[in-house]
Amino acid sequence: NWVQSDTDKYVRLTDSNTWHAIYMHELPAGRKSTYLSPQYKEKIDHKGQHEYRSRFTAGGDHLDYPGAVSARTADMEVVKVLLNSALSTDSELMTMDIKDFYLGTPLEISQYIKVDCKFITPECMDKYDLHKFVHNGYILHKVDKGMYGLKEAGRLAQDKLINHLEPAGYIQCPNISCLFIHKERDTKFSLIVDDFLVMYKREEDAKHLIDTLQNFYVIKVDK
């Protein structure tokens, strides 16, 4: 199960053009490479089915990034106010989350990861013709899009999301980080990384936000 999970993760990162293998000598002069630190989690859903998750995470402590890296999230007080406001105004609530939030966001500066071949299954080695890139048991990968572990990934993904929401009328409150309102619709939501708590009055307002996000993301909705 874990081997299959590793295979699926490597394929996803490669086929989405998040990273690709390069020769060791192609690492630009003056640039650092980091290590890959896979994170594993076994989850059991409400039906008792097991899910095996591999998350390929970059070792961000070995990389430099000159720009801003911090991404704000909604404070607990904001979430509590939304919950209480929904109760007191007889509003509806739903939660949403974005799948693979970091992946797919172009990096401003490419990063580099040395991947131990023990994390690359034979299936992937053959599929992507990786044997020629092996050097001392590692393969260097150039990362062009966001992935977990990169210092800048959260900030870049959040900026991309905010820029996508704004043309649809969703703006961040100027004095409260990660509390969003719509310019015309009676919709409010808090944002914690890729998780939304949404308060709305009409079903058409909920659909508008869902459709807005689905134009660019795969989302899960729970009403």
Side-chain angles (χ1 to χ4, degrees):
N1 289 321
W2 291 117
V3 169
Q4 185 59 51
S5 183
D6 278 353
T7 299
D8 293 342
K9 181 55 65 175
Y10 190 93
V11 168
R12 181 182 297 177
L13 290 172
T14 304
D15 288 355
S16 64
N17 296 317
T18 298
W19 72 6
H20 63 276
I22 62 174
Y23 293 101
M24 286 290 183
H25 68 263
E26 294 182 288
L27 178 66
R31 295 299 308 279
K32 297 179 180 179
S33 64
T34 190
Y35 56 93
L36 183 72
S37 177
Q39 306 297 314
Y40 298 100
K41 179 185 292 186
E42 182 179 356
K43 298 187 71 175
I44 304 176
D45 63 21
H46 65 284
K47 296 181 180 180
Q49 299 295 317
H50 290 249
E51 181 181 358
Y52 300 86
R53 287 188 179 182
S54 301
R55 174 175 287 180
F56 279 11
T57 303
D61 56 320
H62 283 200
L63 296 175
D64 297 323
Y65 180 73
V69 297
S70 61
R72 300 294 301 273
T73 62
D75 292 332
M76 180 61 72
E77 289 78 5
V78 174
V79 175
K80 290 181 177 179
V81 168
L82 272 180
L83 291 171
N84 281 284
S85 180
L87 289 172
S88 61
T89 61
D90 197 27
S91 298
E92 300 291 335
L93 285 172
M94 67 177 175
T95 59
M96 300 189 299
D97 68 83
I98 298 175
K99 182 179 180 181
D100 295 336
F101 182 52
Y102 286 3
L103 306 183
T105 303
L107 297 180
E108 295 174 342
I109 302 173
S110 296
Q111 299 286 11
Y112 300 87
I113 299 177
K114 286 174 61 178
V115 180
D116 193 317
C117 290
K118 68 182 180 182
F119 298 127
I120 306 176
T121 62
E123 177 184 340
C124 291
M125 293 291 292
D126 293 337
K127 179 177 181 178
Y128 298 105
D129 191 21
L130 298 176
H131 298 279
K132 62 186 178 183
F133 297 105
V134 177
H135 180 77
N136 293 334
Y138 290 85
I139 298 177
L140 184 64
H141 287 68
K142 182 182 179 183
V143 183
D144 295 314
K145 297 181 181 180
M147 62 181 292
Y148 297 104
L150 297 180
K151 297 178 181 179
E152 67 271 31
R155 177 61 179 266
L156 293 175
Q158 188 177 87
D159 288 347
K160 177 184 175 183
L161 172 62
I162 293 173
N163 290 336
H164 171 60
L165 288 168
E166 187 173 358
Y170 298 97
I171 58 173
Q172 188 170 194
C173 293
N175 300 318
I176 305 175
S177 294
C178 294
L179 175 64
F180 290 79
I181 61 174
H182 194 273
K183 295 178 180 179
E184 299 173 354
R185 299 175 182 270
D186 193 8
T187 306
K188 303 177 180 67
F189 63 85
S190 63
L191 178 63
I192 301 178
V193 188
D194 58 353
D195 295 312
F196 297 71
L197 174 64
V198 186
M199 186 179 79
Y200 63 96
K201 287 282 190 180
R202 302 177 301 173
E203 189 63 31
E204 63 185 79
D205 292 337
K207 186 177 185 303
H208 183 268
L209 178 57
I210 292 171
D211 291 344
T212 298
L213 291 172
Q214 286 182 333
N215 286 335
F216 282 87
Y217 303 97
V218 175
I219 65 172
K220 177 182 177 182
V221 181
D222 187 8
K223 294 185 179 181

